[in-house]
Amino acid sequence: MQCGLVGLPNVGKSTLFNALTESNLAQAENYPFCTIEPNIASVNVPDSRLDLLSKAAQSKSIIPSQIQFVDIAGLVKGASKGDGLGNQFLSHIRQVDVVVQVVRAFSKDGIIHVHGAVDPLFDMDVIETELLLADLQSAERQLSKKHKAIESGKDVKHILEQALAYLQSGKLLQSFNWTLQERIILSRLGFLTAKPMIYLINISEQDLMGKTFPYRDAILEHANGKPVVWMSTQVECEIAQLSQDDRSVFLKDLSIDHTGLEHIICQVYRSMGLISFFTVGPKETRSWTVREGAKAPEAAGCIHSDFEKGFIRAEVIFWEDYVAYHGEYGAKTAGRMATEGKDYVVRDGDVMLFRFNV
């Protein structure tokens, strides 16, 4: 799964990317378009349950789920017409699963703003207008083509017509009440505004420490229910340079419960409707990601397609029981293990052992 960091130039995307991925892959400079080709890096999904489960099973290793962050070059007004290498950058956004819109809400001498002044609401409008215009062009182009998808699929044509009407009204496709199947089709059609969007508001270290959130009410009104994360990329950079123990002390000193990475990934999982289940044993404790509402065979397929094809049953222990009863044997003895069939809906935190036959 890929999360694209999107925004105007000089809003802190590359600095944030380096902090989240604990790398120096992205060039962060005080001028527009210092990033041209997207930077991509995988990061582990933080989950405190993994350590607890590993200790209970005395696992030799821990393998967390991973998520990719993509640092996409800054968009500018007119990007949908190709301004500022807009066509190239918009194509990069089409490849990601979630859009994390980085918005600048701090002022600092020496760090220029592409429009001359810090105005988060204006910046958000610019980005979303360019994404909407690009989608509008895409819908018109796809409807005008007599390609196989439209000739053979009435559903696709109907969705394209709906999407066009919605875009013409000036609304993002993500805000429309699409069915799951329609969302899948929209994703295949490459619509940018159909992707889940998270607003990441980049504030100063002083505002973070003082728990003052500039433009808060206006930004929340604009977000209209979409997730908003307040973060200081400067603080995240400092956190990334610390050891795990020092991070805990640093966060406590700032009265912060979680890092920015943890906040973002939490919102990504919620926006995408994802949950985690675990496989645990002496060799390894491992986290797997599956969609919310998935049944046991689908979860088995995350591990290997043969597990799904030959699914017989799943032995399930909730993670808290696994830890409380010191592993599989204790949980089973205490009657906390359940044997479930193909219609079992996986819960976030299930420890699962799949039985299959191919």
Side-chain angles (χ1 to χ4, degrees):
M1 180 171 55
Q2 287 192 333
C3 298
L5 302 180
V6 175
L8 295 173
N10 279 19
V11 297
K13 295 187 306 302
S14 296
T15 301
L16 174 65
F17 176 87
N18 286 339
L20 296 179
T21 60
E22 298 182 23
S23 70
N24 291 305
L25 292 173
Q27 183 182 3
E29 301 290 351
N30 185 27
Y31 57 83
F33 307 119
C34 66
T35 300
I36 302 297
E37 291 300 321
N39 299 293
I40 303 174
S42 295
V43 301
N44 293 332
V45 174
D47 195 327
S48 59
R49 297 173 294 186
L50 284 168
D51 285 328
L52 297 172
L53 290 167
S54 176
K55 288 177 182 177
Q58 298 182 339
S59 303
K60 291 181 180 179
S61 64
I62 295 175
I63 305 177
S65 298
Q66 288 198 323
I67 191 169
Q68 281 192 332
F69 283 97
V70 184
D71 175 30
I72 297 171
L75 293 176
V76 296
K77 194 172 183 179
S80 58
K81 300 176 182 177
D83 292 356
L85 300 179
N87 291 331
Q88 180 181 341
F89 299 161
L90 289 167
S91 70
H92 295 154
I93 300 174
R94 286 194 175 89
Q95 308 306 312
V96 304
D97 301 296
V98 182
V99 173
V100 178
Q101 186 182 162
V102 183
V103 182
R104 178 175 171 178
F106 70 90
S107 298
K108 187 172 182 180
D109 293 339
I111 300 182
I112 61 175
H113 189 286
V114 69
H115 294 135
V118 175
D119 187 341
L121 275 298
F122 179 79
D123 295 353
M124 293 159 84
D125 280 334
V126 168
I127 294 297
E128 287 163 23
T129 297
E130 294 306 320
L131 297 181
L132 188 149
L133 290 173
D135 275 357
L136 191 59
Q137 294 171 10
S138 177
E140 291 172 341
R141 183 170 60 252
Q142 292 189 69
L143 274 170
S144 67
K145 288 182 179 179
K146 292 184 178 179
H147 52 62
K148 293 180 181 179
I150 287 188
E151 290 176 350
S152 61
K154 292 181 180 179
D155 288 344
V156 175
K157 184 177 181 181
H158 178 64
I159 290 170
L160 279 170
E161 290 171 342
Q162 276 189 307
L164 180 60
Y166 210 64
L167 292 164
Q168 287 173 334
S169 70
K171 296 180 180 178
L172 307 182
L173 295 179
Q174 199 269 338
S175 59
F176 192 69
N177 190 27
W178 305 96
T179 66
L180 176 60
Q181 186 60 33
E182 287 172 336
R183 288 187 181 278
I184 291 171
I185 293 173
L186 285 168
S187 176
R188 290 173 181 166
L189 292 172
F191 286 114
L192 304 172
T193 65
K195 299 179 185 294
M197 181 178 289
I198 298 167
Y199 295 102
L200 192 155
I201 313 303
N202 187 9
I203 62 177
S204 68
E205 183 175 354
Q206 292 73 23
D207 284 332
L208 183 68
M209 293 176 66
K211 298 192 181 301
T212 55
F213 305 112
Y215 312 95
R216 181 181 183 276
D217 291 343
I219 287 173
L220 291 177
E221 182 180 356
H222 179 96
N224 193 29
K226 290 190 280 293
V228 179
V229 176
W230 306 84
M231 184 190 303
S232 167
T233 56
Q234 186 60 45
V235 170
E236 290 301 316
C237 283
E238 294 175 24
I239 292 172
Q241 296 171 19
L242 300 174
S243 67
Q244 202 61 47
D245 290 339
D246 288 341
R247 288 184 190 188
S248 300
V249 174
F250 185 74
L251 291 172
K252 187 175 180 180
D253 288 343
L254 292 178
S255 299
I256 300 174
D257 295 327
H258 302 284
T259 65
L261 175 63
E262 291 171 313
H263 281 299
I264 293 173
I265 289 181
C266 178
Q267 294 298 342
V268 167
Y269 268 58
R270 287 180 183 174
S271 298
M272 293 290 291
L274 302 174
I275 59 172
S276 297
F277 72 92
F278 306 100
T279 53
V280 184
K283 182 181 178 182
E284 66 181 34
T285 292
R286 184 163 186 164
S287 174
W288 304 86
T289 301
V290 70
R291 66 178 184 86
E292 189 174 4
K295 294 183 178 180
E298 183 179 337
C302 294
I303 300 173
H304 197 287
S305 59
D306 285 348
F307 284 28
E308 182 173 9
K309 292 175 184 176
F311 178 86
I312 299 173
R313 66 182 182 274
E315 296 170 2
V316 183
I317 304 170
F318 193 59
W319 78 272
E320 289 178 329
D321 293 328
Y322 196 100
V323 172
Y325 293 100
H326 310 291
E328 180 182 330
Y329 178 78
K332 185 176 182 179
T333 303
R336 308 305 293 177
M337 175 188 283
T339 300
E340 304 288 357
K342 63 181 181 180
D343 291 327
Y344 176 73
V345 178
V346 180
R347 299 170 298 174
D348 182 58
D350 276 345
V351 177
M352 307 187 77
L353 175 64
F354 298 104
R355 302 295 184 183
F356 69 102
N357 182 29
V358 177

